[in-house]
Amino acid sequence: MTSDTGIDPTVPPSGTGCAECDAAGGWWFHLRRCASCGHVGCCDSSPGQHATGHYRSTGHPLVQSFEPGEEWYWDYATSEVRESGPGLAPPGSHPADQPSPGPAGRVPDDWASTLHR
């Protein structure tokens, strides 16, 4: 891990979906990957807001989008977007055929009305 950034480019993601949502049978809007330990959690628009919960419980400040085609980082410590950063261990996103919101089969029909804004 690079101590000045809190990024460990060698650690793989914890899975292809939000770890807590998967464990509870929940769903997510978009996914974020912890740049320190690889934990994959759901974004703040998602019902569970597990990426932010992970930051609060661990202090790991940086997450990278885990959506296909997105490479930006969010810094919880400064509340700033970083347009880019070091590459992380593959894969860089959830599978392209996994829908957002996802996962398939667990997203309620009224999902848009339950998003946090």
Side-chain angles (χ1 to χ4, degrees):
M1 179 177 337
T2 57
S3 60
D4 59 329
T5 64
I7 295 174
D8 185 343
T10 66
V11 67
S14 62
T16 60
C18 174
E20 291 84 359
C21 288
D22 278 341
W27 65 277
W28 54 81
F29 185 52
H30 289 131
L31 298 170
R32 308 293 178 242
R33 173 187 178 177
C34 178
S36 295
C37 71
H39 175 271
V40 176
C42 55
C43 72
D44 283 352
S45 295
S46 301
Q49 301 178 334
H50 292 118
T52 295
H54 177 75
Y55 163 66
R56 289 182 180 142
S57 68
T58 64
H60 297 165
L62 295 171
V63 292
Q64 186 179 43
S65 174
F66 201 55
E67 296 298 316
E70 296 182 0
E71 297 181 5
W72 57 266
Y73 284 80
W74 175 256
D75 186 334
Y76 284 105
T78 63
S79 296
E80 294 177 333
V81 172
R82 296 183 183 188
E83 294 301 321
S84 64
L88 300 179
S93 71
H94 64 75
D97 63 351
Q98 178 178 299
S100 289
R106 293 199 323 234
V107 180
D109 290 339
D110 67 343
W111 65 269
S113 68
T114 64
L115 293 178
H116 294 272
R117 303 198 192 261

